[in-house]
Amino acid sequence: MIKSVLAFGLTRSAIIVLGVVVFCAAGLVAFTKLNIEAYPNPAPVILEITAQAPGLSAEEMEKYYTIPMEVGLYPTPGVANIRSTSFYGLSFVRVTFKYGIDYFFALTQAANSLQQNVNLPGNLVPTIQASSLVGEIYRYQLVGPAHFGLTNLRTLQDYVVTRRLLTVPGVAQINSWGGTTKQFSVEADLDKLEAYNITVPQLISALGNANINVGGREISIGQQSVNIRGIGLVDSGGADDVTRGYRVRDIENVVLTQSGGLPIQVKNVARVEVGYVPRLGIAGRDHQDDVIAAIVVMRRTEHTNDVIPRVEAEVEKLNRDGSLPPGVKIVPYYDRSSLVGVTTHTVLHNLIFGCLLVFLIQWIFLGDLRSAIIVSANIPLALFFAIIILVIQGEDANLLSLGAVDFGIIVDSAVIMMENIYRNFQSSSEHRRTLLQQLSEGYWGSDPTSARPGSTRPWPERLRIIFASALQVDKAVFFTAAITVTAFVPLFTMQGVEGQIFGPMARTYGYALAGALLSTFTVTPVLAALLLPRHVEEVETRIVRALRRTYTPVLRWALGSLRTAILVGVVFLGVSLLAASRLGSEFLPALEEGNFWIRASLPPTISLEAGTSATRKMREILMRHPEVITVVSQHGRPDNGSDASPFSNVELFAPLKPFEEWPANVTKEKLTEVLQKEFADELPGINFNFSQYIQDNVEEALSGVKGANSVKIVGQNLDVLEQLASQVMAEMTNVRGVADLGIFHLQGQPNLNIKIDREKTARYGLNTGDVNAVVQAALGGTNATTVLEGDRQFALAVRLEPKYRSSIDAIKSVKIAYQTPSGTNAYIPLSELADISLDTGASFIYRERSQRYIPIKFSVRGRDLGSTVTEAQERVAKAIKLPNGYQILWAGEFEDLQNAKERLIIVIPITLL
């Protein structure tokens, strides 16, 4: 096989040269089509499933929503783990599948499990979020004139911008932040309802009945068929213009009953206005406390380089085609293409610089320019071969997979080949005759270079020497490649997160080595025949002579003192092993993204409004530093529940200027230290965690905790978990290298409990559900119907006026209607039917593998990960005694590091053998 390849190339050099030109052109085309990502997706398929029930506490969310979803999802094929978070109004379930499971298979199977196995209260259908760890590729702010208002901007965001961007191929979801979602509010006056003998349920029912269109089939008029429509929808006036949809006359005129022949309308018992849905999150930017921001999420199977240009084109079209009112426009402040551009530039820089460096070294040590050119030609050919394979396979490239290719190893086979050709060319005539005689006598098998009966004349001596030289070292070349591939066996056997990170690099290396071997046996001999001079003379450069003068005496001494030389080698090996045992350990390389992602933990029970001033202060601190381009804050969670964050959680995104624009004495590490000190001085009591945008998403999804690493204490009782967490945190505080330490508290949420007395309610012919329905509607609000404005939909909510729900005493006085024997309504205070008390309960409930746990987050700075966590484990194990049924797990990067080490302990010795 090898002889045939060599013979074909050497006898048809023009075809080989033309093939190289075509191949390079194909490689350049493939490079333009190659998708280069900034960072490979290290996780398997992870589906985030949410269910929202406004007003329910963490305990109710866990009982009614989280546990049924977990139980229903565990039979799903391919599921590896299920984690969940339950808190106020939201159940957030994260389903992690095994590596290798197809995304669309996982999505389909999870949807089937939800449909067949899960029944939630009120027939609520859970939402499978279109999330992806590295899929948040584009962020923007929707801005408008000062008079336009946040509510109108949010309406445009939800019903114009979001819908248009979802039409872009590859976009899976738009997560909107900030602003106020429009809602029509009917705030009832309880005294007036009582005066007119109207109950809250009657008010809700009347509003629903007064907002409906019906069809009466059709009638024939002459030869035409005429449809019959009953028009009864509420008209807010905003069908054609979002700024005009504030008319409430139709709602006010809804008839509830009549008295003395006069209609009693909604406006007689309630105040009707256009307000907004209770807010779950607020977005701010720089000096603005409330803005409309959004995140474009790319589908997991798509490529950044394909999707971002489409998104940018659609944004440009939205800003220009009149879809948005005058003065309203989309202003992007982040897109992944900038990071991908930096990565691509780095890859190209490394490739070009590496090629030139290898060429220079080859020239210095070979002492011949033409030989250096021939050897270095293998580098671009090998890389083009790898790139073409990547494109054909549909694989992505990244900084690790392309930037880490060692060109010295790539050209090893060509160096061996050229050294042997060069040696035979500059050898004596007798040596060359002996070599050609061996070729003729069939030392390497049949000789295609000699003249045969009926064939053309024999090959020129020059080509025969090149042919024989290649056959002399073919086994050595393959053996060298085999050794290199063997050295990569640990990378090929990696699994999990590390396999996703280093697997592309190992495969790219394998493709490049295959391309280098192919080039060595096809292109290198042809170039040697074309470029090497007729008379070759070995020349040692000054550097080689200097090295030889040093090396020769050392070699003679080692050969003359074998025992001593072996002893020195053994001692050196022992010292190396000792030093290796003291080396620190890290799990994954960190990609510099050029931004800060800072997470702040406010007091657990703080309200959304109360945290606004602290959030503003955080942005101001960051904006003082000229290295920061802009600061966007996310306080709370988005309305669609795609991020399981409480009101106490603030996340700050701060893109940074290019590092070359920073002052010479400022680094990112120093800036981090300065910011930490400023935050601690000006915002005492608030915990901060520093990370990067993509890195934070990856760490949270893999560990289930908002932090790089975490300790999870597993058990059932929330109070016991809180106590154990405090003890663990106290021990970890004394460990050097531990930073950003904090407990995700489970308890402490104030609750106003209204416990219905069944015996008392039974005296009035009421069930607990009757009373709770009034409590929910009167205090929390109930959607009576939906107001349609063109293609937009807004809730019409009924709730008591603020004076009836502003204090505990006011809530106790809320009157519950019941029917008397005469058929009229009578009223009784809520305090007569229920025990009303204020206490504390669960604010969060975390679950993993159907067990509750409490997480303690931490980062590691100024020390390696492995030794830091090992010391922390020793301290915790020695100081803390766990009750029966409780255990401590170490999750995050350290957990993955330990799993990788266990595999490498087995794989590396096998590789060495």
Side-chain angles (χ1 to χ4, degrees):
M1 177 68 179
I2 295 299
K3 286 199 300 181
S4 300
V5 171
L6 288 169
F8 179 86
L10 289 172
T11 56
R12 298 168 178 83
S13 58
I15 294 178
I16 296 297
V17 172
L18 180 61
V20 168
V21 174
V22 173
F23 182 80
C24 290
L28 290 172
V29 172
F31 184 78
T32 61
K33 296 182 178 298
L34 178 66
N35 184 65
I36 300 179
E37 295 287 352
Y39 201 77
N41 191 342
V45 175
I46 298 177
L47 298 180
E48 295 175 348
I49 303 170
T50 61
Q52 298 195 80
L56 288 188
S57 67
E59 291 97 328
E60 275 68 50
M61 293 304 302
E62 181 192 35
K63 292 175 185 176
Y64 296 142
Y65 296 91
T66 303
I67 292 177
M69 284 197 290
E70 287 183 359
V71 173
L73 285 166
Y74 264 117
T76 305
V79 168
N81 190 17
I82 296 180
R83 300 187 181 99
S84 67
T85 305
S86 305
F87 64 107
Y88 176 72
L90 177 65
S91 172
F92 189 92
V93 178
R94 182 176 276 127
V95 184
T96 303
F97 286 81
K98 298 175 183 177
Y99 282 93
I101 297 294
D102 178 72
Y103 170 74
F104 292 106
F105 172 83
L107 187 64
T108 303
Q109 294 300 317
N112 289 340
S113 295
L114 289 172
Q115 182 181 15
Q116 297 173 8
N117 305 335
V118 179
N119 293 308
L120 300 181
N123 294 321
L124 179 69
V125 178
T127 301
I128 302 179
Q129 302 287 345
S131 58
S132 173
L133 304 192
V134 295
E136 296 181 0
I137 59 171
Y138 193 86
R139 284 175 166 256
Y140 64 87
Q141 178 185 350
L142 188 65
V143 300
H147 66 275
F148 202 79
L150 286 172
T151 300
N152 290 332
L153 281 175
R154 181 58 190 257
T155 300
L156 290 173
Q157 165 60 27
D158 291 340
Y159 292 98
V160 178
V161 179
T162 295
R163 290 181 177 181
R164 284 281 293 274
L165 290 179
L166 285 175
T167 65
V168 175
V171 172
Q173 184 168 304
I174 308 295
N175 295 330
S176 300
W177 272 90
T180 48
T181 302
K182 184 176 177 179
Q183 175 181 269
F184 292 85
S185 300
V186 176
E187 296 189 340
D189 187 317
L190 201 56
D191 295 332
K192 291 181 179 179
L193 287 175
E194 183 179 358
Y196 288 110
N197 198 29
I198 299 172
T199 65
V200 172
Q202 288 173 338
L203 174 60
I204 295 171
S205 177
L207 288 168
N209 291 333
N211 182 40
I212 188 170
N213 281 3
V214 297
R217 300 186 71 87
E218 72 283 330
I219 62 172
S220 297
I221 300 178
Q223 294 183 351
Q224 285 187 322
S225 175
V226 179
N227 295 337
I228 301 173
R229 298 176 61 205
I231 308 298
L233 288 178
V234 169
D235 183 7
S236 65
D240 299 321
D241 187 347
V242 297
T243 63
R244 297 181 180 274
Y246 289 83
R247 191 169 64 202
V248 296
R249 185 172 61 250
D250 286 359
I251 301 173
E252 290 177 331
N253 292 334
V254 171
V255 177
L256 303 175
T257 185
Q258 64 173 356
S259 177
L262 296 175
I264 307 302
Q265 299 171 308
V266 169
K267 63 185 177 183
N268 300 129
V269 299
R271 184 176 71 250
V272 182
E273 62 183 11
V274 178
Y276 54 84
V277 177
R279 306 183 69 176
L280 300 174
I282 300 175
R285 183 177 181 188
D286 298 340
H287 302 295
Q288 299 173 277
D289 288 338
D290 209 340
V291 301
I292 311 295
I295 306 166
V296 179
V297 181
M298 177 181 68
R299 189 174 292 110
R300 178 184 172 94
T301 56
E302 298 291 332
H303 295 150
T304 303
N305 289 343
D306 296 333
V307 179
I308 285 186
R310 300 174 194 154
V311 173
E312 291 175 334
E314 193 63 33
V315 167
E316 182 67 21
K317 192 183 300 182
L318 276 165
N319 283 335
R320 296 173 54 187
D321 66 2
S323 299
L324 300 176
V328 178
K329 63 179 180 178
I330 301 170
V331 179
Y333 60 86
Y334 169 82
D335 72 77
R336 182 72 55 75
S337 61
S338 57
L339 181 59
V340 172
V342 171
T343 303
T344 305
H345 177 268
T346 303
V347 167
L348 287 174
H349 175 270
N350 289 350
L351 294 180
I352 295 172
F353 182 78
C355 288
L356 293 176
L357 181 62
V358 170
F359 167 73
L360 184 62
I361 292 174
Q362 295 289 334
W363 189 5
I364 290 173
F365 282 89
L366 291 175
D368 184 78
L369 177 60
R370 298 186 184 187
S371 297
I373 292 174
I374 296 170
V375 170
S376 300
N378 272 33
I379 298 175
L381 295 176
L383 290 176
F384 282 144
F385 183 86
I387 290 170
I388 291 172
I389 296 297
L390 288 173
V391 172
I392 293 174
Q393 294 283 97
E395 298 182 49
D396 296 338
N398 56 72
L399 186 58
L400 282 176
S401 63
L402 284 181
V405 175
D406 188 337
F407 299 131
I409 295 177
I410 293 297
V411 299
D412 268 355
S413 55
V415 169
I416 295 172
M417 177 77 72
M418 276 305 302
E419 281 281 5
N420 198 49
I421 293 174
Y422 203 86
R423 179 180 65 86
N424 286 328
F425 270 10
Q426 58 90 39
S427 63
S428 62
S429 301
E430 182 178 349
H431 176 82
R432 290 198 296 272
R433 282 196 300 272
T434 302
L435 177 65
L436 296 177
Q437 184 176 356
Q438 289 177 332
L439 179 62
S440 301
E441 293 175 354
Y443 184 80
W444 294 287
S446 60
D447 178 19
T449 68
S450 301
R452 294 182 181 180
S455 66
T456 58
R457 57 189 177 85
W459 291 15
E461 180 180 320
R462 179 183 180 80
L463 295 184
R464 297 187 70 200
I465 292 176
I466 294 175
F467 184 79
S469 300
L471 294 179
Q472 277 183 317
V473 296
D474 58 351
K475 293 183 177 60
V477 168
F478 279 107
F479 186 68
T480 301
I483 291 176
T484 304
V485 172
T486 303
F488 278 88
V489 167
L491 292 183
F492 283 110
T493 58
M494 283 183 173
Q495 301 175 8
V497 177
E498 66 276 15
Q500 296 292 104
I501 295 291
F502 294 107
M505 183 182 76
R507 290 193 296 274
T508 304
Y509 232 123
Y511 300 151
L513 281 174
L517 280 176
L518 182 62
S519 175
T520 297
F521 287 103
T522 55
V523 179
T524 300
V526 172
L527 292 180
L530 296 175
L531 297 182
L532 287 183
R534 291 184 175 275
H535 303 288
V536 174
E537 184 177 350
E538 183 178 6
V539 178
E540 285 191 349
T541 62
R542 293 181 180 180
I543 295 177
V544 173
R545 287 197 297 270
L547 291 174
R548 187 184 293 277
R549 283 195 298 268
T550 304
Y551 172 69
T552 301
V554 173
L555 177 62
R556 288 174 180 166
W557 173 84
L559 292 175
S561 310
L562 289 178
R563 292 185 178 180
T564 306
I566 293 173
L567 180 61
V568 170
V570 171
V571 170
F572 183 77
L573 179 62
V575 172
S576 300
L577 293 174
L578 180 63
S581 66
R582 297 178 179 273
L583 281 175
S585 55
E586 295 288 347
F587 180 53
L588 291 175
L591 171 70
E592 178 51 58
E593 301 177 32
N595 59 59
F596 278 126
W597 186 267
I598 304 171
R599 192 184 307 277
S601 299
L602 304 176
T605 59
I606 195 170
S607 67
L608 193 65
E609 293 74 17
T612 300
S613 59
T615 305
R616 181 191 309 121
K617 188 67 175 178
M618 297 173 199
R619 294 197 306 270
E620 290 174 352
I621 291 173
L622 285 164
M623 287 302 296
R624 293 175 195 164
H625 298 272
E627 297 82 9
V628 175
I629 298 173
T630 187
V631 183
V632 178
S633 61
Q634 297 175 181
H635 181 195
R637 72 174 192 254
D639 291 342
N640 65 357
S642 58
D643 188 1
S645 298
F647 295 155
S648 60
N649 186 74
V650 178
E651 296 175 354
L652 301 158
F653 176 58
L656 303 174
K657 294 178 181 177
F659 293 133
E660 54 266 22
E661 297 180 15
W662 291 24
N665 60 338
V666 178
T667 63
K668 192 175 183 181
E669 291 73 20
K670 290 182 179 179
L671 181 58
T672 302
E673 294 175 2
V674 171
L675 288 171
Q676 284 181 313
K677 185 177 185 307
E678 292 179 357
F679 283 143
D681 293 341
E682 301 184 40
L683 294 165
I686 298 177
N687 295 321
F688 290 89
N689 184 78
F690 283 73
S691 185
Q692 300 182 106
Y693 186 24
I694 301 175
Q695 180 182 347
D696 182 82
N697 284 344
V698 170
E699 291 169 348
E700 179 183 349
L702 292 177
S703 68
V705 176
K706 295 179 181 293
N709 293 279
S710 64
V711 184
K712 297 179 180 178
I713 307 174
V714 180
Q716 183 61 27
N717 189 283
L718 301 182
D719 293 322
V720 175
L721 290 175
E722 285 276 6
Q723 296 171 7
L724 292 173
S726 298
Q727 297 174 26
V728 170
M729 183 172 175
E731 291 298 323
M732 293 184 65
T733 303
N734 300 318
V735 178
R736 183 178 63 84
V738 170
D740 305 328
L741 189 62
I743 299 174
F744 288 93
H745 292 282
L746 307 179
Q747 299 278 51
Q749 176 61 49
N751 293 323
L752 182 65
N753 295 323
I754 302 175
K755 187 174 182 180
I756 312 301
D757 189 314
R758 296 179 184 272
E759 292 184 1
K760 291 181 179 179
T761 56
R763 297 172 192 164
Y764 299 96
L766 297 172
N767 288 315
T768 57
D770 300 325
V771 179
N772 276 333
V774 176
V775 169
Q776 180 182 12
L779 304 180
T782 294
N783 292 340
T785 184
T786 299
V787 177
L788 302 179
E789 291 182 1
D791 61 350
R792 302 181 293 276
Q793 302 179 7
F794 303 102
L796 192 161
V798 176
R799 196 179 187 188
L800 292 186
E801 287 186 345
K803 65 181 180 181
Y804 297 106
R805 47 186 168 83
S806 59
S807 66
I808 296 177
D809 290 335
I811 292 173
K812 288 181 178 179
S813 301
V814 169
K815 295 179 180 179
I816 307 298
Y818 66 94
Q819 198 168 43
T820 64
S822 62
T824 59
N825 292 328
Y827 296 85
I828 184 171
L830 180 61
S831 58
E832 296 292 326
L833 301 175
D835 296 323
I836 302 175
S837 61
L838 185 66
D839 65 8
T840 57
S843 54
F844 277 87
I845 299 178
Y846 297 95
R847 296 171 61 86
E848 183 171 354
R849 300 186 187 278
S850 297
Q851 292 180 296
R852 289 176 170 180
Y853 71 92
I854 184 171
I856 306 167
K857 72 174 180 70
F858 68 96
S859 302
V860 175
R861 282 199 292 272
R863 188 179 176 185
D864 71 281
L865 176 66
S867 64
T868 303
V869 178
T870 299
E871 181 184 342
Q873 287 177 321
E874 293 173 354
R875 281 180 172 271
V876 170
K878 185 183 297 184
I880 298 173
K881 184 177 181 181
L882 296 176
N884 289 334
Y886 290 77
Q887 59 178 318
I888 294 179
L889 304 176
W890 299 79
E893 288 187 347
F894 180 76
E895 180 184 24
D896 296 321
L897 175 64
Q898 294 303 105
N899 294 335
K901 279 185 174 180
E902 291 176 2
R903 284 190 294 271
L904 291 177
I905 287 174
I906 299 173
V907 173
I908 289 179
I910 294 175
T911 302
L912 293 175
L913 292 175

